[in-house]
Amino acid sequence: MSLLSLTASVALAGGYQHVSIPAGENRLGGVFYRPAGPGPFPAVIALHGCGGLWREQGMLSMRHADWGERLAAAGFAVLMPDSYGSRGLGSQCGVKDLTVRAGRERVADAAAARTWLQQRGDIRPDMVSLIGWSGGGSTVLSAIRKERAPADGRPDFKRAVAFYPACRVQSESASFSTRLPLLILMGDADDWTPAAPCSYLAKAAQARGEQVGIVLYPGVLHDFDHPRLEVKERENIAYSASGTGKVTVGTNMAAREDALKRVNAFLGAP
């Protein structure tokens, strides 16, 4: 079933439920979408960006609700760990000295989410993939490095998708190498997380024989896959390409629809 078509299976599954995930000595809150039927299902761990998982009044953000519903309609169970709210934090987009970092705490959150899913009888443990947006996309890049393969005896992540990640840290790392197939999707006009480091990262990985693909949408901005976000300027961003704290974001429907198709094909919808 295509991600482009929302079906009654989401309604039958009852939307999402709040879950609590063991994470070391703590617990990680999250949202879980389960498709209709007995399973076992392939699964996707979806990692939010710097704005967090929620919008005002405790409502799931529009992007995450849209993706959760679409992936569930396509037959995937979807787990969205709440890396910020679980630690009492709000949006981190304007924070320079992060305490919940893409390369550390959030990688650990993704690992805890994988374990939680693989312990369920209705999940295929060998079919758990990663998807992340912006800071969540940067977490994806850190989580799939070869030296971070799971040591718990459980199956590794299957595939990974990163929407407009910040690639500079990994592209400048002499030891970066991915252990599983990766798809990067972003606009070439992104002035929040620029495309150039991601292009370099992908080309270097491809030269090593790694399965890394990148799609750069011409003239497209950050947040292009949002279901309904007018093009606008945002201020007080901690890390902008210009260094001014100003960035431009907004939906591009053509790129969004293409990305939906590509993710569907890449993850191998059941």
Side-chain angles (χ1 to χ4, degrees):
M1 191 179 300
S2 171
L3 294 181
L4 289 170
S5 301
L6 287 177
T7 72
S9 61
V10 174
L12 290 172
Y16 67 80
Q17 64 184 101
H18 294 271
V19 296
S20 180
I21 305 161
E25 297 180 355
N26 303 306
R27 299 195 73 85
L28 189 64
V31 164
F32 183 58
Y33 285 85
R34 185 186 184 282
F41 307 107
V44 177
I45 295 168
L47 304 174
H48 61 72
C50 66
L53 197 56
W54 306 96
R55 54 177 171 160
E56 66 278 358
Q57 300 173 334
M59 297 178 65
L60 193 63
S61 80
M62 192 178 298
R63 185 212 329 276
H64 298 106
D66 180 70
W67 273 102
E69 290 166 3
R70 289 181 183 278
L71 287 165
F76 294 93
V78 186
L79 178 59
M80 299 181 174
D82 184 3
S83 291
Y84 295 160
S86 301
R87 296 175 170 93
L89 300 173
S91 172
Q92 300 292 287
C93 296
V95 179
K96 291 203 173 200
D97 189 14
L98 294 170
T99 57
V100 179
R101 295 156 288 188
R104 294 193 182 185
E105 291 81 6
R106 298 206 63 194
V107 169
D109 290 352
R114 176 181 59 83
T115 300
W116 186 87
L117 284 168
Q118 291 174 335
Q119 290 175 337
R120 292 178 60 99
D122 58 354
I123 300 297
R124 286 188 57 182
D126 61 335
M127 288 291 290
V128 178
S129 294
L130 280 170
I131 186 170
W133 296 268
S134 198
S138 301
T139 301
V140 166
L141 299 183
S142 292
I144 65 175
R145 290 176 64 111
K146 278 192 174 176
E147 70 270 22
R148 285 187 158 169
D152 58 5
R154 296 182 181 276
D156 198 355
F157 299 113
K158 186 69 174 177
R159 290 175 174 264
V161 179
F163 277 89
Y164 34 86
C167 291
R168 183 182 59 80
V169 170
Q170 305 302 341
S171 68
E172 294 177 356
S173 169
S175 62
F176 177 82
S177 183
T178 177
R179 66 182 189 273
L180 54 127
L182 168 67
L183 175 63
I184 300 172
L185 299 164
M186 64 194 313
D188 69 0
D190 196 316
D191 60 358
W192 191 339
T193 52
C198 294
S199 294
Y200 176 85
L201 180 87
K203 289 176 183 176
Q206 291 164 1
R208 294 190 296 269
E210 297 166 21
Q211 297 181 59
V212 175
I214 184 168
V215 179
L216 298 180
Y217 296 105
V220 170
L221 303 167
H222 204 84
D223 287 333
F224 72 85
D225 64 308
H226 191 287
R228 189 175 69 251
L229 180 63
E230 293 184 9
V231 173
K232 63 180 181 180
E233 184 178 78
R234 288 189 57 178
E235 298 182 341
N236 301 315
I237 300 300
Y239 296 101
S240 61
S242 65
T244 63
K246 295 181 180 180
V247 298
T248 312
V249 300
T251 299
N252 181 288
M253 291 306 298
R256 167 181 153 83
E257 290 181 9
D258 182 79
L260 289 170
K261 293 176 183 176
R262 288 181 185 274
V263 170
N264 195 63
F266 182 74
L267 294 180

